[in-house]
């Protein structure tokens, strides 16, 4: 049976750019557009030319890609002709394959916000679609507030969509702009629209204000829509847009959709999905959501011992899909609740398989339990667990030793008379027979220590060049004898891999030092640095 084509439209660079705290540079936009194109997205909305200088520049030259680069803008203003509206002229000048217009489709907005008549709103839609078609562009119309508009006055909302379709727009997109519509309403309304406009010309644009943007997108597809709009990681203003990172694997891996539809994302590209999701977080300088469906670090993590033994025998018992399909991996959490089977399975996963009756397994489990009792958290710090296991099994080379370190924080008045705080770290290392001393200044003491540690590792320096710290978390734990500090550091490298290390001490610098050291040593092991 041949499958129907379903199209994906990404608006990370336009709607996603509305997110609080997100500010894309031109270079960011180009990098994200490339990433989306490599993923196999059909339409990449690049922004709103004429609205801000970066978006105007983005569209100032042709940017060849596989998918269709789309420019966003408003239909002509009421009371003007298409050729006499500077906004529309700028949009038509944009070097884009497709143009996505946004227009009102709620009579209330037409009256109150636009202060015009319904007839003029419809004429504006027709004129704008016609003008863009005349310039040889593919045209889409985003019907703003469509669902609220349809509930208030169905005939008018439908007339707006119909006006664009009749004028030759490739797609009319039904937008849940306020994000408050529920899945059963979306399914009913989209069904009614698809009775008037063929579903293979209808799209859905859902916002996540009731945390159902993904569900609303699928409800629309079930009712006949054949284009889904969304963003990477659900980026978007307020509560975000429909998350394409969740939608794509569901379309590809769940038979209700996979048997029926074909999308532009290949199996091979799907296998890079987790990396794409994390790459966006890195670009935004935020920590990845570890509980994100499909791609989060915890999405395939299992803790309890009985589950772990079953999962090793038959992964499907506790996993809804194979994690590798989306570029994620299974993780068996090793913690004080862990049984032997977790430890054995985790050792096997990291390539340190031992016999199940090996006495060192019991020793490792005891050590994990003892250390967790004083604050270590190995279920999160998978890399620190691996180092602990390697040390116990005699599989950890001795790379270098830190003979001493010294960190100081100084507050002083600078030349401009402003009070500044400066941190400096000095680290003395022994690598083989070489003694190395590194000094570095940082934004804080931990940053200074990190920079000094990684500044000169002698013969090992080339093995850690791709190492980056991506997250740093501190927690104060209250024990019987006083507070201790737990530091968790997340790192990544040039291959896109991520790992977490842990340190515990009464002193925050010391705890950070342990976690930093583990991260560096883990990277050396991972890079195959010789002993
Ligand atoms: Zn939107």
């Amino acid at each position: 049976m041949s499958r129907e084509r379903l199209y994906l439209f990404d608006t990370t660079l336009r709607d996603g750019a509305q997110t609080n705290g997100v500010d894309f540079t031109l270079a960011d936009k180009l990098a994200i557009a490339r990433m989306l194109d490599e993923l196999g997205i059909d339409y990449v909305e690049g922004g709103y030319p004429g609205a801000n200088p970066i978006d105007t520049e983005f569209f100032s030259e042709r940017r060849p890609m596989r998918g269709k680069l789309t420019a966003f803008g408003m239909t002509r203003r009421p009371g003007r002709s298409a050729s006499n509206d500077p906004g529309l002229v700028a949009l038509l000048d944009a070097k884009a394959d497709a143009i996505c217009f946004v227009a009102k489709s709620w009579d209330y907005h037409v009256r109150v916000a636009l202060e015009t008549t319904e007839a003029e709103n419809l004429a504006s839609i027709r004129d704008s679609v016609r003008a863009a078609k005349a310039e040889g562009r593919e045209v889409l119309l985003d019907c703003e507030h469509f669902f609220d508009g349809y509930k208030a006055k169905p005939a008018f909302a439908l007339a707006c969509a119909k006006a664009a379709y009749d004028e030759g727009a490739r797609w009319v997109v039904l937008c849940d702009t306020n994000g408050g519509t529920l899945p059963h309403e979306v399914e009913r309304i989209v069904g009614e629209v698809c009775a008037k406009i063929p579903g293979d010309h209808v799209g859905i644009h859902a916002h996540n204000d009731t945390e159902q943007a993904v569900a609303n997108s699928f409800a629309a597809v079930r009712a006949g829509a054949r284009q889904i709009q969304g963003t990477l990681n659900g980026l978007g203003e307020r509560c975000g847009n429909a998350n394409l990172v969740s939608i794509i694997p569901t379309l590809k891996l769940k038979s209700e959709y996979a048997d029926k539809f074909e999308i532009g994302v290949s199996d091979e590209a799907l296998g890079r999905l987790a990396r794409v999701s994390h790459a966006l977080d890195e670009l935004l300088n935020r920590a990845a959501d570890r509980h994100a469906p499909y791609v989060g670090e915890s999405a395939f993590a299992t803790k309890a011992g009985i589950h772990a033994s079953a999962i090793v025998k038959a992964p499907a018992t506790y996993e809804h899909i194979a994690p590798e399909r989306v570029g994620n991996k299974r993780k068996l959490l090793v913690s004080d609740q862990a049984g032997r089977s977790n430890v054995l399975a985790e050792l096997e996963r990291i390539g340190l398989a031992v016999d199940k009756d090996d006495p060192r397994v019991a020793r490792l489990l005891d050590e994990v339990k003892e250390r967790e009792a004083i604050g270590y958290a190995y279920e999160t710090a998978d890399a620190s667990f691996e180092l602990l296991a390697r040390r116990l099994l005699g599989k950890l080379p001795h790379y270098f030793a830190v003979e001493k370190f010294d960190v100081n924080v100084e507050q002083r008045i600078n030349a401009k008379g402003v009070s500044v705080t400066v941190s400096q770290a000095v680290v003395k290392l022994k690598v083989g027979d070489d003694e190395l001393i590194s000094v570095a200044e940082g934004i804080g003491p931990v940053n200074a220590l990190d920079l000094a540690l990684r500044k000169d590792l002698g013969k090992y320096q080339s093995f850690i060049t791709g190492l980056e710290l991506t997250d740093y978390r501190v927690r104060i734990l209250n024990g019987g004898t006083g507070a201790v500090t737990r530091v968790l550091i997340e790192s990544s490298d040039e291959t896109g891999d991520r790992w977490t290390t842990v340190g515990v001490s009464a002193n925050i610098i010391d705890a950070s030092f342990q976690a930093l050291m583990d991260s560096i040593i883990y990277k050396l092991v991972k890079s195959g640095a010789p002993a």
Side-chain angles (χ1 to χ4, degrees):
M1 194 186 83
S2 82
R3 292 178 298 166
E4 231 184 303
R5 185 69 159 86
L6 188 77
Y7 294 84
L8 297 175
F9 181 109
D10 179 279
T11 181
T12 303
L13 300 177
R14 201 270 304 169
D15 231 356
Q18 303 297 315
T19 313
N20 200 349
V22 167
D23 217 354
F24 293 131
T25 63
L26 181 63
D28 292 341
K29 287 202 149 203
L30 292 171
I32 295 168
R34 204 173 314 119
M35 205 158 78
L36 290 164
D37 199 38
E38 282 166 10
L39 185 59
I41 300 295
D42 301 294
Y43 295 85
V44 174
E45 195 170 50
Y48 190 168
N52 66 64
I54 287 176
D55 287 12
T56 305
E57 203 182 334
F58 183 89
F59 285 106
S60 65
E61 54 184 282
R62 281 247 150 247
R63 307 199 185 273
M65 46 195 275
R66 214 161 42 149
K68 288 171 182 162
L69 189 61
T70 308
F72 174 88
M74 296 216 273
T75 50
R76 73 156 174 80
R77 277 187 275 168
R80 292 227 182 186
S81 71
S83 56
N84 213 0
D85 182 325
L88 183 56
V89 171
L91 187 56
L92 295 177
D93 276 345
K95 303 280 189 289
D97 306 304
I99 288 178
C100 183
F101 287 111
V102 58
K104 306 279 182 208
S105 57
W106 186 358
D107 64 322
Y108 171 65
H109 266 260
V110 171
R111 249 185 355 261
V112 175
L114 221 51
E115 297 182 340
T116 186
T117 62
E118 293 177 12
E120 174 61 7
N121 191 63
L122 293 172
S124 154
I125 292 173
R126 282 194 296 266
D127 291 349
S128 307
V129 173
R130 198 182 307 129
K133 293 270 303 176
E135 292 291 325
R137 301 296 201 287
E138 182 175 327
V139 184
L140 301 90
L141 182 81
D142 271 3
C143 300
E144 196 186 55
H145 296 290
F146 183 84
F147 294 91
D148 299 298
Y150 192 90
K151 286 183 213 167
K153 192 170 181 186
F156 177 66
L158 203 54
C160 294
K162 199 81 172 46
Y165 173 68
D166 289 343
E167 207 56 59
R170 170 69 184 84
W171 293 100
V172 289
V173 182
L174 313 180
C175 301
D176 186 25
T177 310
N178 288 344
T181 311
L182 303 177
H184 65 280
E185 299 175 301
V186 169
E187 192 158 350
R188 175 180 64 82
I189 293 172
V190 173
E192 288 172 19
V193 172
C194 290
K196 302 278 170 26
I197 298 171
D200 57 0
H201 292 271
V202 174
I204 178 76
H205 176 110
H207 278 262
N208 202 31
D209 298 69
T210 71
E211 211 174 17
Q212 299 189 87
V214 168
N216 279 343
S217 304
F218 285 115
V221 170
R222 287 162 56 92
R226 293 296 176 258
Q227 183 194 99
I228 298 177
Q229 298 200 344
T231 59
L232 286 179
N233 296 348
L235 216 62
E237 64 182 328
R238 304 191 311 275
C239 317
N241 285 55
N243 184 359
L244 289 178
V245 174
S246 297
I247 288 172
I248 290 169
T250 299
L251 287 172
K252 297 237 355 138
L253 301 175
K254 298 294 169 183
S255 66
E256 178 179 354
Y257 299 103
D259 294 350
K260 219 173 151 201
F261 301 110
E262 202 175 342
I263 59 173
V265 180
S266 66
D267 290 349
E268 184 272 324
L270 182 67
R272 285 186 275 115
L273 190 66
R275 192 170 296 182
V276 168
S277 167
H278 294 150
L280 181 74
D281 289 323
E282 262 155 46
L283 209 135
L284 294 172
N285 201 19
R286 14 167 110 168
D289 174 7
R290 47 192 67 234
H291 300 286
Y294 293 107
V295 296
E297 206 186 315
S298 299
F300 300 95
T302 302
K303 188 166 182 171
I306 43 161
H307 294 181
S309 52
I311 224 169
V312 173
K313 275 184 244 156
T317 48
Y318 285 94
E319 287 171 355
H320 72 115
I321 61 155
E324 302 76 34
R325 299 291 307 268
V326 292
N328 207 341
K329 59 184 180 202
R330 174 174 311 132
K331 201 169 157 188
L332 298 173
L333 304 176
V334 178
S335 73
D336 55 355
Q337 290 173 36
R340 290 175 71 86
S341 46
N342 283 62
V343 172
L344 285 166
E346 187 60 10
L347 289 177
E348 184 169 341
R349 193 187 66 76
I350 58 189
L352 293 172
V354 292
D355 186 81
K356 71 177 175 26
D357 298 318
D358 191 319
R360 292 177 299 179
V361 175
R363 283 223 305 278
L364 179 57
L365 197 52
D366 285 346
E367 181 139 3
V368 165
K369 286 179 181 180
E370 273 165 33
R371 294 171 71 94
E372 292 217 330
I374 57 170
Y376 288 84
Y378 289 107
E379 61 173 74
T380 311
D382 48 354
S384 287
F385 170 77
E386 179 172 335
L387 295 181
L388 189 69
R390 283 184 179 278
R391 220 166 264 136
L392 213 138
L393 297 171
K395 297 250 172 72
L396 189 66
H398 176 78
Y399 296 111
F400 65 95
V402 175
E403 303 214 307
K404 95 180 228 187
F405 71 80
D406 176 22
V407 182
N408 73 62
V409 180
E410 183 191 342
Q411 195 184 57
R412 60 169 183 248
I413 308 293
N414 72 7
K416 290 179 183 151
V418 182
S419 157
V420 291
T421 307
V422 191
S423 299
Q424 195 193 56
V426 183
V427 173
K428 194 170 161 197
L429 291 168
K430 189 146 191 205
V431 184
D433 292 331
D434 300 334
E435 292 224 327
L436 303 166
I437 295 180
S438 299
V439 183
E441 277 197 359
I443 339 173
V446 175
N447 180 239
L449 181 60
D450 174 38
L451 294 174
L453 262 176
R454 292 200 276 149
K455 199 169 184 175
D456 185 7
L457 265 193
K459 60 178 174 170
Y460 295 122
Q461 191 62 25
S462 64
F463 293 94
I464 62 160
T465 42
L467 175 63
E468 259 181 72
L469 301 195
T470 48
D471 196 19
Y472 174 82
R473 302 195 297 281
V474 176
R475 204 166 145 195
I476 310 298
L477 309 165
N478 284 304
T481 51
V484 291
T485 303
R486 174 203 290 158
V487 168
L488 287 166
I489 286 178
E490 189 186 84
S491 311
S492 67
D493 70 4
E494 69 284 358
T495 67
D497 279 348
R498 313 163 82 78
W499 62 90
T500 303
T501 53
V502 62
V504 172
S505 167
N507 180 310
I508 187 171
I509 302 290
D510 187 42
S512 306
F513 173 76
Q514 293 171 25
L516 288 169
M517 284 289 284
D518 269 12
S519 174
I520 294 170
I521 295 169
Y522 181 81
K523 172 62 181 161
L524 290 173
V525 171
K526 185 176 178 291
S527 304

